[in-house]
Amino acid sequence: MKSAIGIIGLGVMGASLAQNFANKKIQVSAYNHHKDKVDALVKKAKSPHLIGHDILKKFVTSLEAPRKIILMVPAGDPVDETIKKLTPLLSKGDIIIDGGNSFFRDTLRRTEELNKKSIHFVGMGISGGEKGALEGPCIMPGTSKTVWKSLRPLLEKIAAKDFSKKPCVVNVGAPGAGHYVKMVHNGIEYALMQLMAESYDLLKGLYGISNDNMATVFESFNDTRLGSYLMEISITVCQKKEGTKGLLDLILDVSGNKGTGKWTTQEALDLGIALPIITESLFARYISSEKNLRIALGKKVERKKPEDLPPLTVFLEMLESALYGAFLLAYAEGFMMLDRANTAYKFDLDFREIARIWQGGCIIRAKMLKDITKALPRNSGILLMDKKYLKDVVSSMDSLKNIAITGVLTEKPVAAYSAALNSFYSMTSTHLPSNMIQGLRDLFGAHTYQRIDKKGTFHTNWL
Ligand code: 6PG
């Protein structure tokens, strides 16, 4: 019997995905050029539906036509190298699916190159980490209707389920859109994580909350509208012990990144749109990496002792509300980016469906995605234009302001909270001081300006 799907690359994600297919009784061929990796997976899976291969040609012939092969190899050169080795073994109409975190422009290039050989190439974002890949990830492919038709039955079986038990997979749009949507997902992921980290910092630094009590706070938040995967795993991270110590206290305060957050910001700059919360969250990671400089400067600058803090119960109430508002704004920022990209790249995105599939399996899944799904029209990503959504954000504004002020007054960095606040103020300002910028530009560089009282472009001899 031939396999319905093949997977190349048996790292953590590839191996888990292969097992997921096998567990759903879908015959899967799993390939890795290291025989020991293949053997380890076959032994672990113990499934008649999973066949291991370490010879590429045999792997390819084990697949039913048209062949569907998911690449689970690191983004960048390994994807191109694998395609190069694989293509001569394929036939017209076969489908290569890149399930890694590839940059969408690489996906567009690869789609075009393989099109010339009549081989379909699909960029497909997969979210959910190892557990998600094994038990049900959120899957974001971007491809043609025909290719989607042949992938759909397979992917729907292994995907997570949304709040209405529908599979968390959809063809998000035209080629390239899958990896684009995953990139923005990761940008939002950066923002939500930074907001969680700033909340933790305020609670620990200002109120001396222990890790165990922090877990209790996050547990209570998780029972509210803030219920989310990131809140759940924050509880676990706070609770974890190593011996008698909390593991969290032993982890170096330097956060890494694999690049998707950086691409999100770079893309926003190219599109000419603002992504303040996501970008500040990325910068917060970069600043964290300046550990030696931070230590050197920290020794020279004395921090003021926090005073006049609100009682903890009051602060917790504000924090819950501020976090809710900031989360709403982070999602709004991500969807606005998707909206602008949709116009720029003609992705043909269905915004409501994207919010729906993010309800399950992915890292940014959260209760509030139910409301977000309802708030989004299919053809627009401007969440704040929804009356109820805007009202929810506005009602959290006082808390958001107070949390940001507390951070500023106690000299604690609250970059993501402040960015959320400022971007909301800017986006809801019917008048910004940009007339001043325009006046200055025209004075020193004759860059011209437009007027509110007449049409046209103007220049003034200012001096
Ligand atoms: C997911 C994650 C996953 C991974 C990213 C981000 O959706 O499952 O986003 O893809 O966590 O690589 O990692 P960095 O924080 O290292 O950029």
Side-chain angles (χ1 to χ4, degrees):
M1 183 187 166
K2 296 228 171 192
S3 294
I5 191 110
I7 295 187
I8 293 185
L10 303 181
V12 180
M13 290 294 283
S16 303
L17 207 63
Q19 285 184 83
N20 188 348
F21 278 111
N23 292 343
K24 303 291 164 8
K25 299 192 172 31
I26 296 170
Q27 181 92 359
V28 54
S29 292
Y31 169 85
N32 200 288
H33 62 282
H34 290 300
K35 191 172 178 317
D36 46 346
K37 278 215 165 163
V38 180
D39 293 343
L41 174 62
V42 170
K43 200 170 156 200
K44 193 174 168 199
K46 283 194 208 82
S47 167
H49 302 287
L50 192 150
I51 318 291
H53 290 274
D54 62 346
I55 297 167
L56 194 58
K57 203 168 172 190
K58 284 195 179 162
F59 162 79
V60 170
T61 46
S62 76
L63 301 169
E64 68 187 31
R67 298 181 185 95
K68 298 163 197 78
I69 300 169
I70 306 182
L71 310 186
M72 295 302 293
V73 299
D77 293 343
V79 176
D80 288 311
E81 283 155 21
T82 312
I83 292 173
K84 206 168 158 193
K85 283 186 205 144
L86 187 61
T87 324
L89 306 172
L90 299 183
S91 314
K92 283 185 177 176
D94 286 349
I95 306 166
I96 301 178
I97 305 138
D98 177 8
N101 274 333
S102 290
F103 186 45
F104 83 103
R105 288 192 197 279
D106 287 337
T107 304
L108 290 173
R109 167 181 58 79
R110 289 168 187 145
T111 307
E112 212 176 297
E113 284 166 7
L114 286 163
N115 250 346
K116 287 181 196 145
K117 298 178 178 161
S118 302
I119 289 167
H120 302 290
F121 184 76
V122 182
M124 183 170 87
I126 301 180
S127 178
E130 184 182 355
K131 197 164 183 278
L134 183 66
E135 293 172 6
C138 168
I139 312 176
M140 298 155 254
T143 187
S144 67
K145 287 199 173 71
T146 337
V147 172
W148 169 235
K149 211 172 152 197
S150 69
L151 295 181
R152 187 176 180 171
L154 295 169
L155 297 178
E156 284 192 342
K157 283 217 177 76
I158 62 150
K161 298 280 187 283
D162 69 13
F163 296 127
S164 328
K165 305 270 177 283
K166 278 168 66 187
C168 292
V169 56
V170 77
N171 181 23
V172 295
H179 279 143
Y180 200 98
V181 169
K182 176 64 186 4
M183 177 186 79
V184 175
H185 164 285
N186 282 27
I188 299 172
E189 177 184 300
Y190 276 45
L192 304 185
M193 286 168 75
Q194 181 60 27
L195 288 163
M196 287 302 300
E198 289 175 13
S199 306
Y200 153 81
D201 195 32
L202 291 175
L203 286 170
K204 190 181 164 88
L206 304 182
Y207 291 89
I209 305 268
S210 69
N211 292 346
D212 283 332
N213 287 340
M214 191 84 62
T216 310
V217 169
F218 291 156
E219 257 164 8
S220 69
F221 284 2
N222 199 42
D223 289 337
T224 69
R225 54 201 174 163
L226 279 175
S228 59
Y229 174 68
L230 284 170
M231 191 64 79
E232 277 167 34
I233 60 171
S234 299
I235 299 167
T236 313
V237 167
C238 288
Q239 283 169 335
K240 188 74 182 167
K241 298 275 183 299
E242 202 172 85
T244 50
K245 291 200 170 117
L247 176 57
L248 190 51
D249 298 333
L250 300 173
I251 299 179
L252 187 69
D253 56 337
V254 171
S255 39
N257 78 92
K258 294 212 185 80
T260 44
K262 182 181 82 177
W263 295 339
T264 318
T265 287
Q266 282 174 331
E267 242 304 287
L269 297 179
D270 285 347
L271 282 176
I273 58 166
L275 278 193
I277 318 175
I278 292 171
T279 304
E280 282 295 350
S281 303
L282 172 74
F283 285 172
R285 291 195 189 191
Y286 289 178
I287 292 176
S288 81
S289 302
E290 302 281 357
K291 179 76 178 171
N292 292 339
L293 184 58
R294 285 195 284 119
I295 291 174
L297 290 171
K299 282 183 187 154
K300 293 182 201 287
V301 179
E302 215 177 299
R303 282 278 148 87
K304 290 203 180 67
K305 288 250 173 315
E307 49 191 47
D308 291 336
L309 292 173
L312 181 59
T313 44
V314 175
F315 186 81
L316 286 177
E317 223 172 276
M318 283 185 329
L319 190 66
E320 191 274 341
S321 171
L323 201 48
Y324 178 65
F327 268 33
L328 288 178
L329 286 167
Y331 284 110
E333 197 171 287
F335 273 103
M336 178 158 159
M337 176 168 193
L338 288 176
D339 183 272
R340 298 307 190 231
N342 196 38
T343 310
Y345 303 119
K346 303 192 174 37
F347 277 148
D348 195 21
L349 301 177
D350 180 331
F351 298 93
R352 192 180 296 167
E353 275 292 278
I354 294 169
R356 183 191 67 73
I357 64 168
W358 284 354
Q359 289 178 9
C362 67
I363 305 296
I364 63 168
R365 63 186 187 257
K367 276 184 204 164
M368 65 179 75
L369 273 157
K370 199 172 182 180
D371 285 343
I372 292 177
T373 308
K374 271 194 224 146
L376 276 168
R378 291 194 179 279
N379 59 356
S380 163
I382 312 299
L383 267 170
L384 293 173
M385 285 304 286
D386 179 77
K387 231 165 140 185
K388 181 176 176 301
Y389 202 82
L390 185 63
K391 202 171 147 216
D392 284 352
V393 173
V394 170
S395 65
S396 72
M397 268 300 134
D398 278 348
S399 301
L400 192 49
K401 212 188 304 180
N402 280 322
I403 292 299
I405 288 172
T406 306
V408 170
L409 291 180
T410 57
E411 304 184 358
K412 285 248 157 239
V414 279
Y417 272 118
S418 310
L421 198 65
N422 281 317
S423 74
F424 187 71
Y425 289 157
S426 298
M427 285 302 288
T428 51
S429 289
T430 48
H431 190 263
L432 286 170
S434 305
N435 47 338
M436 183 69 181
I437 307 275
Q438 288 302 78
L440 296 171
R441 288 177 73 236
D442 191 53
L443 184 151
F444 65 64
H447 292 294
T448 72
Y449 56 89
Q450 288 165 306
R451 302 177 59 106
I452 56 168
D453 55 348
K454 21 185 176 176
K455 280 204 185 327
T457 303
F458 300 87
H459 167 60
T460 297
N461 291 322
W462 295 85
L463 303 172

